[in-house]
Amino acid sequence: MHRYRFVFYRPLQLLPVLFGISIITFVLVRSIPGDPARILLGTRATPAALERIREQFGLNDPLWMQYLYFLKNLFNGEMGRSILYKVDVIGLIFERLEPTVVLVFGSVLVALLITIPLATIAARNRGGFLDQAVRVISTGGLGMPAFWLGIMLIILFSVRLDLFPVSGYGQTFLEKLHHMVLPCVTIALSLSAVLTRSLRASLLAEMQSDAAMAARARGLPENVVFRRHVLPNSLIPTLNLLAVNIGWLISGTVVVESVFAIPGMGQLLIRAIFTRDYMVVQGVAMLFAVASVLVNFLADIMTVTLDPRVKL
Amino acid sequence: MSAPLLKVDGLTVETKTETGTHRIVDGVSFELQKGEILGLVGESGSGKTMACRALLRLLPSSRLSIPKGSVRLDGKEVMDLPEDQFRAIRGKRVGMIFQNPASHLDPVMRIGDQIAESVRFHHGGSKRAAEERTIELLQQVGIPDPKERSRAFPHEFSGGMRQRAMIALALACDPDILIADEPTTALDVTVQAQILRLLKELRDARGLSIIFITHDLGVVAQLCDSICVLYGGRVCEHGPKERLLAAPRHPYTAGLMGCQPAIGATGERLRTIPGYPPTVDAMPTGCRFHPRCGNEVAECSRRQPPLEAYEPDHVAACYNPVGETAALLAKESA
Amino acid sequence: MPARRRGLRRLTGHVPQPLMIGAGILIFFIVLAVGAPVIAPYDPIYQDISARLAPPSLVHPFGTDNFGRDILSRVIWSTRIDLQIAFLGVIFPFIIGTAAGTIAGYFGGLTDTLFMRLIDIVLAFPFLVLMLAIIAILGPGLASFYIAMALVGWVSYARLVRAQILVLKQSDFAMAAKSLGFSHWRIMFRHLLPNALIGSIVFAMSDAVLVLLNGAAISYLGLGVQPPTAEWGIMVAEGQAFISIAWWIATFPGLAIVLLAFGFSLLADGLGEKLGVRP
């Protein structure tokens, strides 16, 4: 149980990073030249509204005080208002959370469903045609832009074969599932390219390990050795790689949401950039960063759980 | 003499390198009786480990192959069996334990689960029955608190405990023959003694036959009934322990005996065999040992000497074997 | 042989296949870029209204878009911009990151700790999200893209170089240089850095893939290269509106990206194999 001690210490270590995230986001938005109040509220704001926000965020005070106001508001769940939607940023984010979360989890699931069989085939046919094919496909897959891949899938499966909807999110649970297939597959394909190489290398290393050989010496057939001793041990570094790449995954969802017109946080961010809706940009960017830090933390917990040797 | 449990004949292992095909194991032959502990002795590179891996068809790389050799278990040839039939021999008839148990045990699986896996695979039965058998086995190999220890992971054991666990794991399959590949080399002397005692007990209690691979003559003297000496991938000498220790025929064996420091001996220089063992791609012609041998004659560099029987159970391959005087000298300094 | 020379020595000798193919692909695109005026069959902005939305044919091998512009010519001309993106988008972070990593790794102590913290914070942001945030502030455009790239991308190089420097700091020849009384800067840049650079150069190749993809994605979103400049990402975006009637507009520019990226990947693998580094 003491292996989990770090769960208590780590949040303290993460605090500087979290503060750093808030500082960077704060500095970014404040570095826009011009009247901050007008920048944050847009050109149509009334003088009364402008005054209010100057109060709330201390925009007349020195920069370091503004940061403190910013933090205070943050802790109160106040992220400002969206110029475009005229609602609180935090409310907007909660609305848009579901599609993005579904996209992320769905992509990971599909990616694992693709990666594990592919890497297994490659490792067990080492040096053979299938292995080469998998390696070429995964190298090629690394270079496929997600936005293009998504469009290609739409052309094939939506336009030509009419199997899936072209865009959008849908209303009912089943409709949403249906809409999310192509977007998830798009991200999953790119993700698999990265994961397959890593998993294949781990599998090969494990297959040649002393422990695997000793298992064979006990008369266990190859597929039992693979299933019970090689694969589980190889998955641990791959899952770690997945967690480390969460930032990349989130970046992918931002683009894919645009391609498929999914009303998630990615699309919210893009639209906010075009409309100079800086409060929204600030809120979404920070949220993504914090989520990424959290996922890495969870990944460490997962590693400790799965691998009894690890001490963090 | 009754028919041997295991008869190895002309076992050969080849490796393909950039410089060509070389023999790591070259026509090794020996026999193992039921209940016998055979010490397979040689320096590193002598082919002792590779020969045993070849026995189990567990060669680590595709560059290695077994071009010829016969292995008979209970008189039945097994080398030409297809893989799925041969697999029935691994673990169940011939088991193996290794020098470094830490790397040979699955690090993310509990010890008990690994043992239970083998029990269920070879003997079937329920999970509960396998668990009970596991605890029994852990007890037999002398692990205290077996029930608790079975839930532990390999890295939580000490070196000696790990080796015992490894032995339990091998025993789970209930083999007739156990190949022990330098199991005590990495252990403290005291722990080493315990493991050797355990192996002897297992032989006495269940009639387990053991092939003990080592380069340590002290261990051989304690544990083994007979000794087979390998050099350069070939058998030099094979015979009962007492005879080989007291009156070896092959100059290499004599040299090895002479190298052993006697506890209590003072003032004497440690003897060594001059030179180094040959590498696989630079094997001497004829007898492998002749460049380092003190008894060399003309024929030695021309042809490999055949294994000659000096007694029914004592063979040596030498054109100019060690005589009585040399045997006495070896005995004196041992 | 002085360790400084060891790196260069490794460049001669056996050339792995991926390296050759990758280099070949890169050279192919460079030729396309340089020779665009000669190679491209049509003027990329010439609009042939009579041939709007024409499918691939002998006259227009990649078809035409809704303005009647030849896609093949536009793809060829876009090579200039995309190669520039891949190059400059790697070079700026490379220089900044290497310098930062060398200083942090060499001096250690507080400098190093501060750098590592900064790197952790920058890395906490998803790459694209941070870049988009910076572009949001600076306004869309290629210049903003390069600035954002420099501000965000330096981190990976800094980490890599720092790790190498930390190891090399302890090596024999570094100690020797120190005992000879060389100044810090001299040791850092003339002795340690050249050896540390090898890992970075291999990494730069695989980074080129990411930069290219990022640049194309940001342009696709409308925040990078601005029309009427022809760039592969923009072309894909333009083509998306017509996928039901003219699949070729979006497809071929994307294929160009895939091919160039594949070339960089092979280069990374090949160079890595050759120089004994994992990309």
Side-chain angles (χ1 to χ4, degrees):
Chain A
M1 251 317 139
H2 70 278
R3 289 193 314 132
Y4 286 98
R5 243 198 325 218
F6 79 100
V7 176
F8 297 105
Y9 295 138
R10 182 66 67 81
L12 278 116
Q13 291 174 311
L14 290 177
L15 227 48
V17 178
L18 292 173
F19 273 115
I21 291 173
S22 66
I23 293 176
I24 286 189
T25 321
F26 172 76
V27 166
L28 271 178
V29 176
R30 288 297 180 278
S31 56
I32 306 169
D35 176 11
R38 272 201 193 280
I39 289 169
L40 295 175
L41 284 184
T43 45
R44 300 241 189 90
T46 62
L50 289 173
E51 233 0 87
R52 240 197 328 261
I53 202 171
R54 287 198 185 102
E55 275 271 353
Q56 190 184 8
F57 284 96
L59 297 177
N60 293 318
D61 297 318
L63 205 63
W64 63 269
M65 274 198 78
Q66 290 188 35
Y67 176 63
L68 291 177
Y69 273 100
F70 171 70
L71 278 184
K72 186 188 91 175
N73 282 305
L74 204 60
F75 281 123
N76 287 328
E78 256 291 349
M79 280 181 165
R81 286 193 85 153
S82 158
I83 302 174
L84 181 64
Y85 295 99
K86 311 225 187 312
V87 291
D88 283 336
V89 171
I90 198 129
L92 260 183
I93 288 179
F94 272 116
E95 250 176 53
R96 306 299 182 108
L97 206 52
E98 184 192 287
T100 304
V101 169
V102 170
L103 191 52
V104 169
F105 277 105
S107 306
V108 169
L109 193 63
V110 176
L112 287 175
L113 285 175
I114 298 175
T115 304
I116 296 178
L118 226 60
T120 303
I121 292 175
R124 297 191 73 166
N125 284 291
R126 181 188 205 177
F129 171 71
L130 281 170
D131 183 16
Q132 297 274 53
V134 168
R135 290 170 81 181
V136 169
I137 293 175
S138 49
T139 308
L142 276 176
M144 291 207 185
F147 62 91
W148 177 79
L149 194 56
I151 293 175
M152 293 298 112
L153 287 177
I154 294 177
I155 291 178
L156 183 58
F157 291 104
S158 295
V159 177
R160 287 294 152 100
L161 298 178
D162 205 7
L163 282 173
F164 295 102
V166 171
S167 61
Y169 190 45
Q171 303 283 39
T172 69
F173 178 70
L174 275 174
E175 262 178 36
K176 289 178 184 177
L177 225 57
H178 195 207
H179 277 89
M180 286 312 237
V181 170
L182 285 186
C184 286
V185 169
T186 305
I187 298 180
L189 285 175
S190 303
L191 196 53
S192 312
V194 177
L195 295 178
T196 303
R197 297 178 117 196
S198 157
L199 185 57
R200 174 189 170 277
S202 298
L203 285 175
L204 282 175
E206 283 296 330
M207 279 167 75
Q208 292 169 339
S209 69
D210 288 338
M213 191 262 296
R216 286 180 201 115
R218 295 199 289 276
L220 297 173
E222 192 61 36
N223 55 316
V224 171
V225 173
F226 190 85
R227 197 171 23 98
R228 302 200 72 209
H229 296 278
V230 170
L231 189 55
N233 303 22
S234 308
L235 276 177
I236 297 173
T238 302
L239 286 175
N240 248 308
L241 186 65
L242 184 55
V244 164
N245 275 320
I246 190 72
W248 187 90
L249 184 56
I250 291 176
S251 300
T253 60
V254 169
V255 176
V256 166
E257 279 183 22
S258 223
V259 174
F260 289 90
I262 296 174
M265 296 214 297
Q267 214 197 34
L268 180 62
L269 178 64
I270 307 289
R271 201 163 289 172
I273 294 176
F274 275 113
T275 54
R276 308 221 184 328
D277 207 347
Y278 293 114
M279 292 280 201
V280 175
V281 173
Q282 189 174 268
V284 173
M286 264 199 311
L287 191 73
F288 275 141
V290 170
S292 165
V293 169
L294 237 129
V295 167
N296 273 298
F297 184 33
L298 289 173
D300 281 342
I301 296 181
M302 179 197 71
T303 305
V304 166
T305 311
L306 290 177
D307 190 339
R309 295 168 288 179
V310 170
K311 271 200 234 305
L312 279 175
Chain B
M1 207 161 56
S2 52
L5 176 56
L6 175 72
K7 185 163 156 58
V8 176
D9 220 328
L11 187 58
T12 305
V13 176
E14 274 178 1
T15 178
K16 260 199 290 248
T17 64
E18 290 143 9
T19 47
T21 312
H22 306 287
R23 291 193 168 178
I24 304 179
V25 177
D26 196 356
V28 164
S29 310
F30 60 84
E31 288 179 7
L32 184 73
Q33 307 289 334
K34 180 160 167 51
E36 177 186 346
I37 302 184
L38 169 67
L40 203 56
V41 174
E43 293 166 286
S44 11
S46 55
K48 50 195 198 299
T49 298
M50 218 35 99
C52 292
R53 298 270 218 116
L55 248 178
L56 278 176
R57 286 188 2 198
L58 277 180
L59 297 176
S61 133
S62 52
R63 259 182 269 164
L64 295 164
S65 61
I66 307 174
K68 59 182 163 131
S70 138
V71 174
R72 282 178 202 275
L73 261 182
D74 275 333
K76 279 219 306 264
E77 177 66 49
V78 298
M79 262 314 177
D80 49 11
L81 287 176
E83 177 66 15
D84 47 344
Q85 285 179 38
F86 188 89
R87 209 186 313 128
I89 296 176
R90 288 198 198 114
K92 199 158 196 168
R93 305 234 38 216
V94 182
M96 194 161 175
I97 60 175
F98 305 89
Q99 176 175 348
N100 186 2
S103 66
H104 287 91
L105 291 166
D106 190 332
V108 302
M109 219 177 177
R110 299 179 203 271
I111 294 276
D113 292 336
Q114 296 187 48
I115 298 179
E117 180 189 36
S118 279
V119 170
R120 286 187 83 188
F121 184 79
H122 287 279
H123 305 290
S126 69
K127 259 176 95 173
R128 165 67 63 84
E131 270 170 39
E132 282 172 15
R133 177 88 183 114
T134 300
I135 297 174
E136 235 176 77
L137 285 165
L138 287 173
Q139 214 154 33
Q140 277 178 30
V141 297
I143 291 182
D145 280 326
K147 190 141 194 220
E148 251 188 68
R149 294 303 208 145
S150 75
R151 306 306 299 147
F153 289 97
H155 68 280
E156 292 171 354
F157 277 37
S158 70
M161 286 294 165
R162 265 200 291 269
Q163 193 53 278
R164 290 177 192 269
M166 174 136 250
I167 294 174
L169 193 46
L171 290 179
C173 317
D174 213 359
D176 303 315
I177 301 173
L178 182 67
I179 303 177
D181 191 353
E182 304 209 47
T184 54
T185 306
L187 300 172
D188 294 336
V189 176
T190 35
V191 181
Q192 182 173 284
Q194 293 168 3
I195 300 290
L196 293 178
R197 201 179 326 133
L198 171 61
L199 288 175
K200 223 177 197 164
E201 280 167 16
L202 289 171
R203 186 272 301 271
D204 297 336
R206 332 157 130 229
L208 184 64
S209 317
I210 303 177
I211 300 177
F212 196 97
I213 303 174
T214 182
H215 59 270
D216 186 341
L217 285 173
V219 167
V220 167
Q222 282 180 58
L223 179 69
C224 304
D225 302 322
S226 52
I227 306 176
C228 177
V229 181
L230 288 183
Y231 185 84
R234 290 184 180 156
V235 175
C236 297
E237 191 162 5
H238 183 173
K241 166 180 74 182
E242 297 79 13
R243 191 110 31 75
L244 253 76
L245 289 180
R249 290 290 177 177
H250 198 284
Y252 177 58
T253 319
L256 283 179
M257 302 301 159
C259 296
Q260 283 289 102
I263 296 184
T266 50
E268 272 178 46
R269 247 187 160 184
L270 265 182
R271 285 215 221 128
T272 54
I273 306 175
Y276 298 96
T279 51
V280 127
D281 55 352
M283 282 292 176
T285 49
C287 170
R288 304 279 204 228
F289 186 60
H290 79 83
R292 304 168 74 188
C293 183
N295 276 24
E296 190 185 351
V297 295
E299 193 62 18
C300 297
S301 54
R302 274 194 243 131
R303 278 196 311 133
Q304 161 70 7
L307 277 171
E308 266 183 58
Y310 292 87
E311 320 272 324
D313 56 353
H314 181 180
V315 296
C318 186
Y319 289 124
N320 189 13
V322 173
E324 295 305 310
T325 5
L328 275 169
L329 266 170
K331 195 171 174 188
E332 247 176 83
S333 58
Chain C
M1 177 176 296
R4 205 176 356 142
R5 303 230 194 285
R6 238 192 279 139
L8 281 167
R9 249 318 124 117
R10 290 194 255 185
L11 277 171
T12 50
H14 158 70
V15 180
Q17 203 179 37
L19 183 54
M20 291 206 326
I21 303 180
I25 294 178
L26 184 57
I27 293 173
F28 168 69
F29 277 103
I30 293 176
V31 167
L32 276 186
V34 171
V38 178
I39 301 176
Y42 298 86
D43 184 337
I45 55 177
Y46 173 66
Q47 300 179 10
D48 183 359
I49 307 296
S50 63
R52 294 175 62 218
L53 299 174
S57 62
L58 285 173
V59 184
H60 293 284
F62 283 179
T64 62
D65 65 11
N66 65 316
F67 287 119
R69 298 178 292 194
D70 177 50
I71 303 280
L72 176 60
S73 307
R74 286 175 66 77
V75 168
I76 292 177
W77 276 92
S78 300
T79 311
R80 297 186 162 191
I81 277 276
D82 283 285
L83 273 180
Q84 184 197 83
I85 290 176
F87 184 68
L88 290 180
V90 166
I91 278 286
F92 294 142
F94 185 96
I95 295 175
I96 299 175
T98 304
T102 308
I103 295 174
Y106 185 79
F107 286 114
L110 190 59
T111 324
D112 187 31
T113 315
L114 283 175
F115 260 117
M116 285 311 281
R117 279 281 150 262
L118 182 59
I119 289 176
D120 283 339
I121 295 171
V122 172
L123 279 179
F125 286 89
F127 193 79
L128 191 67
V129 169
L130 190 53
M131 282 197 67
L132 288 176
I134 296 175
I135 292 177
I137 310 305
L138 298 172
L142 197 51
S144 309
F145 171 77
Y146 287 132
I147 295 174
M149 207 55 235
L151 286 175
V152 179
W154 66 275
V155 172
S156 317
Y157 291 97
R159 255 207 320 198
L160 203 59
V161 170
R162 173 188 170 272
Q164 297 270 51
I165 296 279
L166 282 180
V167 168
L168 288 172
K169 238 191 346 182
Q170 314 293 343
S171 66
D172 293 337
F173 75 91
M175 299 290 198
K178 212 166 182 186
S179 67
L180 285 173
F182 288 146
S183 76
H184 287 310
W185 297 96
R186 184 168 174 156
I187 298 180
M188 273 201 289
F189 287 103
R190 293 199 66 206
H191 296 268
L192 296 182
L193 192 51
N195 284 290
L197 270 182
I198 292 177
S200 299
I201 292 176
V202 175
F203 180 76
M205 288 299 132
S206 37
D207 195 35
V209 176
L210 295 171
V211 169
L212 176 64
L213 259 44
N214 263 316
I218 291 178
S219 302
Y220 164 84
L221 292 171
L223 295 165
V225 177
Q226 298 291 303
T229 315
E231 189 271 332
W232 294 331
I234 297 186
M235 290 175 71
V236 173
E238 287 171 353
Q240 187 172 7
F242 301 96
I243 51 175
S244 45
I245 49 174
W247 57 269
W248 50 89
I249 308 179
T251 305
F252 289 108
L255 283 176
I257 301 177
V258 173
L259 186 58
L260 182 56
F262 188 59
F264 278 123
S265 292
L266 288 180
L267 260 179
D269 278 349
L271 263 181
E273 201 184 305
K274 181 95 189 67
L275 298 174
V277 174
R278 257 186 325 144

